[in-house]
Amino acid sequence: MRPNAAQLALAQDTTIPDVSGPDLRVLFCGINPGLWSGATGHHFDRPGNRFWPALHRSGFTPRQFRPDEQTDLLALGLGITNVVARTTAKADELTADEYRAGGRALAERVALLRPRALAILGIGAYRTAFGRPRARVGPQPEGLGDTQVWVLPNPSGLNAHYTLDGIADEFRRLREATSQI
């Protein structure tokens, strides 16, 4: 589905359900859903978002899934959530308070679901949500209970710091690490 302008406008400040459950190998965590995702109900659905190609290129999926196949990730031990639930046109519309509240809610979700790893897709979101201003991409020294925390590059097409291959390489590092735990 390609949402029109009216559907995108109606998606502002809505939420979409997580793709999650118990015993996940990795719970991928976006910053927040964009308007396109809000209109379709599918995570990382905006054309140009590199999540689905990076997930496949890194070896997490046997083929490149489409956003409307997101629930198929559960059979692979993978899930999707967000730091902040509400949809916006851009992540810079979120406040620091929203990030911090989202970090607390995410920690509660992780305590309940207990995935082996939590992969937060965006260094700035992680730094603000968890008060870790010096965090870097990769595994973090602080976990959430028994859950290992990783920070990966934001797959948004707006993230010019990483190419698709660079994002897939970071996803691959996570995949290799989580196949051992």
Side-chain angles (χ1 to χ4, degrees), residues 90-112:
K90 295 183 193 174
D92 66 6
E93 295 175 39
L94 302 173
T95 67
D97 286 342
E98 284 181 289
Y99 278 112
R100 287 188 290 272
R104 290 188 299 273
L106 181 58
E108 291 172 7
R109 216 168 312 135
V110 165
L112 178 69

Side-chain angles (χ1 to χ4, degrees), residues 3 16 52 55 96 176 181:
I16 61 174
W52 298 103
L55 203 62
E176 290 169 352
I181 56 172

Side-chain angles (χ1 to χ4, degrees), residues 82-154:
N82 289 286
V83 175
V84 177
R86 82 176 176 96
T87 59
T88 60
K90 295 183 193 174
D92 66 6
E93 295 175 39
L94 302 173
T95 67
D97 286 342
E98 284 181 289
Y99 278 112
R100 287 188 290 272
R104 290 188 299 273
L106 181 58
E108 291 172 7
R109 216 168 312 135
V110 165
L112 178 69
L113 296 173
R114 301 183 64 206
R116 284 186 258 167
L118 171 68
I120 299 177
L121 307 178
I123 189 76
Y126 176 74
R127 287 174 175 166
T128 303
F130 290 93
R132 306 270 188 243
R134 291 185 175 81
R136 297 183 182 268
V137 168
Q140 301 304 300
E142 308 86 12
L144 291 173
D146 294 333
T147 298
Q148 192 177 64
V149 175
W150 282 67
V151 175
L152 299 177
N154 182 343

Side-chain angles (χ1 to χ4, degrees), residues 3-25:
N4 61 37
Q7 291 166 320
L8 291 173
L10 288 172
Q12 179 74 36
D13 297 325
T14 62
T15 61
I16 61 174
D18 288 349
V19 175
S20 64
D23 302 319
L24 294 174
R25 181 169 48 145

Side-chain angles (χ1 to χ4, degrees), residues 46-64:
R46 183 173 181 83
N49 191 294
R50 299 170 292 180
F51 176 78
W52 298 103
L55 203 62
H56 173 60
R57 286 188 186 193
S58 67
F60 271 113
T61 59
R63 63 177 176 77
Q64 185 173 318

